[in-house]
Amino acid sequence: MGGISIWQLLIIALIIVLLFGTKKLRTLGGDLGSAVKGFKKAISDDEAAAAAPAAKKESDNDADFEQQKIADEQKPADQTTTNQKDKEQV
């Protein structure tokens, strides 16, 4: 009663093919397929990255710890240099 019949769908499909042409529709279908494939790949890569964050975080913490340690070692050296300069001026 209020639905679309198969004949109406076929007429709509025929009008679309006549308007755009088969080559343009084929290209559009290929582009849409590659977009869906890329989306699925991105989702699976994101899930794989979320599954193994513990090993990555541990290595990141070690590197940050080393950088922080080096930075802390450099700070007192800079402070002693400024303290010596202040003593020389007095």
Side-chain angles (χ1 to χ4, degrees), residues 1-61:
M1 187 165 165
I4 299 176
S5 71
I6 188 73
W7 293 109
Q8 291 170 338
L9 288 176
L10 287 174
I11 292 171
I12 292 171
L14 180 66
I15 292 171
I16 290 174
V17 168
L18 289 174
L19 285 176
F20 295 109
T22 56
K23 185 176 181 180
K24 181 113 176 166
L25 290 175
R26 188 178 310 129
T27 305
L28 181 67
D31 291 344
L32 183 64
S34 64
V36 170
K37 188 185 293 186
F39 179 75
K40 286 182 180 180
K41 183 181 179 200
I43 294 295
S44 65
D45 289 347
D46 189 36
E47 289 174 356
K56 189 174 184 180
K57 285 184 180 178
E58 287 178 14
S59 65
D60 289 344
N61 290 340

Side-chain angles (χ1 to χ4, degrees), residues 64-76:
D64 290 340
F65 178 73
E66 292 296 325
Q67 290 175 353
Q68 185 177 8
K69 185 177 176 182
I70 292 170
D72 290 340
E73 289 175 359
Q74 290 176 352
K75 284 181 184 177

